Short mmCIF file of all heavy atoms in Angstrom, two decimals:
data_model
loop_
_atom_site.label_atom_id
_atom_site.label_comp_id
_atom_site.label_asym_id
_atom_site.label_seq_id
_atom_site.Cartn_x
_atom_site.Cartn_y
_atom_site.Cartn_z
N PRO A 3 109.98 53.35 -21.98
CA PRO A 3 110.39 54.27 -20.77
C PRO A 3 111.75 54.96 -21.11
O PRO A 3 112.66 54.31 -21.68
CB PRO A 3 110.50 53.26 -19.66
CG PRO A 3 110.70 51.94 -20.37
CD PRO A 3 109.95 51.98 -21.62
N THR A 4 111.84 56.09 -20.61
CA THR A 4 113.11 56.84 -20.84
C THR A 4 113.99 56.53 -19.58
O THR A 4 113.53 56.11 -18.55
CB THR A 4 112.83 58.34 -20.81
OG1 THR A 4 112.22 58.76 -19.64
CG2 THR A 4 111.81 58.63 -21.99
N ILE A 13 113.94 58.08 -2.61
CA ILE A 13 113.40 57.75 -1.27
C ILE A 13 113.82 56.31 -0.85
O ILE A 13 113.32 55.32 -1.61
CB ILE A 13 111.97 57.89 -1.07
CG1 ILE A 13 111.44 59.27 -1.67
CG2 ILE A 13 111.47 57.73 0.30
CD1 ILE A 13 112.06 60.43 -1.03
N ALA A 17 112.76 54.43 4.54
CA ALA A 17 112.17 55.70 4.87
C ALA A 17 110.69 55.72 4.26
O ALA A 17 109.81 56.31 4.81
CB ALA A 17 112.95 56.79 4.17
N THR A 21 107.42 56.30 6.56
CA THR A 21 106.49 57.41 6.15
C THR A 21 105.04 56.93 6.19
O THR A 21 104.24 57.62 6.81
CB THR A 21 106.91 58.02 4.86
OG1 THR A 21 108.20 58.49 4.83
CG2 THR A 21 105.95 59.16 4.44
N THR A 30 94.06 58.64 9.31
CA THR A 30 92.83 58.01 9.50
C THR A 30 92.30 58.02 10.99
O THR A 30 90.99 58.12 11.12
CB THR A 30 92.96 56.45 9.16
OG1 THR A 30 93.97 55.91 9.94
CG2 THR A 30 93.29 56.37 7.68
N THR A 49 76.93 62.06 6.27
CA THR A 49 76.47 62.56 5.03
C THR A 49 77.69 62.48 3.99
O THR A 49 78.81 62.29 4.36
CB THR A 49 75.95 64.00 5.14
OG1 THR A 49 77.16 64.85 5.43
CG2 THR A 49 74.93 64.16 6.23
N VAL A 57 87.77 62.31 4.64
CA VAL A 57 88.85 61.69 3.59
C VAL A 57 89.74 62.76 3.24
O VAL A 57 90.98 62.51 3.12
CB VAL A 57 87.95 61.13 2.39
CG1 VAL A 57 89.04 60.88 1.27
CG2 VAL A 57 87.22 59.94 2.77
N ALA A 87 104.79 61.42 -13.80
CA ALA A 87 104.94 61.84 -15.20
C ALA A 87 103.97 61.11 -16.05
O ALA A 87 103.48 60.09 -15.59
CB ALA A 87 106.42 61.40 -15.71
N LEU A 93 96.96 56.95 -21.73
CA LEU A 93 95.55 56.93 -21.93
C LEU A 93 95.01 55.56 -22.23
O LEU A 93 93.86 55.29 -22.13
CB LEU A 93 95.38 57.81 -23.13
CG LEU A 93 95.60 59.28 -23.04
CD1 LEU A 93 95.29 60.15 -24.25
CD2 LEU A 93 94.71 59.84 -21.76
N ARG A 130 79.19 48.56 -0.23
CA ARG A 130 79.79 49.87 0.14
C ARG A 130 79.68 50.90 -0.90
O ARG A 130 79.28 52.11 -0.55
CB ARG A 130 81.30 49.69 0.48
CG ARG A 130 81.90 51.12 0.82
CD ARG A 130 83.15 50.90 1.72
NE ARG A 130 84.19 50.11 1.13
CZ ARG A 130 85.43 49.97 1.68
NH1 ARG A 130 85.61 50.54 2.88
NH2 ARG A 130 86.34 49.17 1.17
N VAL A 135 76.57 55.90 -2.85
CA VAL A 135 75.67 56.47 -3.80
C VAL A 135 74.30 56.85 -3.27
O VAL A 135 73.81 57.92 -3.47
CB VAL A 135 75.53 55.59 -5.09
CG1 VAL A 135 74.42 56.15 -5.99
CG2 VAL A 135 76.89 55.51 -5.82
N PRO A 141 73.04 67.32 -5.80
CA PRO A 141 74.42 67.75 -6.27
C PRO A 141 75.63 67.06 -5.56
O PRO A 141 76.73 67.15 -5.93
CB PRO A 141 74.33 69.31 -5.99
CG PRO A 141 73.42 69.49 -4.78
CD PRO A 141 72.35 68.47 -5.21
N ILE A 143 76.18 64.14 -5.43
CA ILE A 143 76.74 63.06 -6.28
C ILE A 143 77.95 63.53 -7.06
O ILE A 143 78.87 62.73 -7.30
CB ILE A 143 75.67 62.57 -7.28
CG1 ILE A 143 76.25 61.14 -7.88
CG2 ILE A 143 75.35 63.53 -8.35
CD1 ILE A 143 76.35 60.07 -7.01
N ALA A 147 81.59 61.98 -6.90
CA ALA A 147 82.46 61.73 -8.24
C ALA A 147 83.86 62.24 -8.24
O ALA A 147 84.78 61.65 -8.49
CB ALA A 147 81.71 62.32 -9.32
N ILE A 151 86.85 59.81 -8.36
CA ILE A 151 87.47 59.81 -9.75
C ILE A 151 88.76 60.58 -9.83
O ILE A 151 89.67 60.41 -10.61
CB ILE A 151 86.55 60.22 -10.76
CG1 ILE A 151 85.27 59.31 -10.80
CG2 ILE A 151 87.10 60.15 -12.21
CD1 ILE A 151 84.14 59.69 -11.58
N VAL A 152 88.93 61.70 -8.89
CA VAL A 152 89.99 62.46 -8.96
C VAL A 152 90.86 62.34 -7.70
O VAL A 152 92.04 61.94 -7.74
CB VAL A 152 89.61 64.01 -9.07
CG1 VAL A 152 90.88 64.94 -9.15
CG2 VAL A 152 88.73 64.24 -10.40
N TYR A 162 100.79 54.83 -2.72
CA TYR A 162 101.02 53.34 -2.76
C TYR A 162 101.92 52.90 -3.88
O TYR A 162 102.71 52.00 -3.75
CB TYR A 162 99.65 52.58 -2.77
CG TYR A 162 99.02 52.74 -1.47
CD1 TYR A 162 98.07 53.68 -1.29
CD2 TYR A 162 99.44 51.93 -0.45
CE1 TYR A 162 97.49 53.80 0.00
CE2 TYR A 162 98.75 51.98 0.82
CZ TYR A 162 97.85 52.95 0.94
OH TYR A 162 97.24 53.10 2.22
N PHE A 187 97.40 47.56 -0.30
CA PHE A 187 96.29 48.47 -0.88
C PHE A 187 94.90 47.70 -0.72
O PHE A 187 93.95 48.35 -0.33
CB PHE A 187 96.59 48.62 -2.39
CG PHE A 187 95.52 49.40 -3.07
CD1 PHE A 187 95.46 50.77 -2.94
CD2 PHE A 187 94.67 48.86 -3.89
CE1 PHE A 187 94.55 51.55 -3.58
CE2 PHE A 187 93.73 49.54 -4.69
CZ PHE A 187 93.62 50.88 -4.46
N ILE A 190 94.10 47.62 3.40
CA ILE A 190 93.78 48.85 4.14
C ILE A 190 92.35 49.37 3.74
O ILE A 190 91.96 50.36 4.52
CB ILE A 190 94.86 50.02 3.81
CG1 ILE A 190 94.98 50.25 2.40
CG2 ILE A 190 96.16 49.58 4.48
CD1 ILE A 190 94.16 51.31 1.83
N HIS A 191 91.64 48.87 2.89
CA HIS A 191 90.25 49.17 2.61
C HIS A 191 89.33 48.60 3.68
O HIS A 191 88.11 48.88 3.75
CB HIS A 191 89.83 48.99 1.23
CG HIS A 191 90.40 49.89 0.12
ND1 HIS A 191 91.62 49.72 -0.31
CD2 HIS A 191 89.82 50.97 -0.41
CE1 HIS A 191 91.85 50.69 -1.16
NE2 HIS A 191 90.86 51.40 -1.24
N GLY A 220 98.98 53.94 -14.04
CA GLY A 220 98.04 53.51 -12.98
C GLY A 220 97.13 54.59 -12.55
O GLY A 220 95.99 54.10 -12.25
N GLY A 231 82.92 52.06 -12.09
CA GLY A 231 82.16 51.58 -10.95
C GLY A 231 81.10 52.47 -10.45
O GLY A 231 79.90 51.97 -10.14
N LEU A 232 81.31 53.68 -10.33
CA LEU A 232 80.34 54.71 -9.95
C LEU A 232 79.16 54.67 -11.04
O LEU A 232 78.01 54.70 -10.60
CB LEU A 232 80.97 56.15 -9.87
CG LEU A 232 79.98 57.11 -9.44
CD1 LEU A 232 79.41 56.91 -8.14
CD2 LEU A 232 80.67 58.56 -9.44
N LEU A 236 75.23 53.73 -10.40
CA LEU A 236 74.24 54.81 -10.65
C LEU A 236 73.09 54.33 -11.66
O LEU A 236 71.90 54.59 -11.44
CB LEU A 236 74.90 56.07 -11.21
CG LEU A 236 75.61 56.88 -10.11
CD1 LEU A 236 76.29 57.98 -10.82
CD2 LEU A 236 74.48 57.49 -9.23
N TRP A 237 73.59 53.64 -12.69
CA TRP A 237 72.60 53.36 -13.80
C TRP A 237 72.29 51.91 -14.02
O TRP A 237 71.36 51.67 -14.81
CB TRP A 237 73.27 53.99 -15.04
CG TRP A 237 73.42 55.42 -14.97
CD1 TRP A 237 72.51 56.38 -14.57
CD2 TRP A 237 74.58 56.17 -15.31
NE1 TRP A 237 72.98 57.57 -14.67
CE2 TRP A 237 74.18 57.59 -15.04
CE3 TRP A 237 75.87 55.89 -15.73
CZ2 TRP A 237 75.09 58.64 -15.32
CZ3 TRP A 237 76.78 56.91 -16.00
CH2 TRP A 237 76.44 58.35 -15.83
#
Side-chain angles (χ1 to χ4, degrees):
T4 65
I13 311 300
T21 299
T30 58
T49 66
V57 170
L93 293 177
R130 178 155 57 175
V135 170
I143 193 66
I151 302 171
V152 180
Y162 291 95
F187 178 73
I190 55 91
H191 284 80
L232 178 60
L236 281 171
W237 294 313

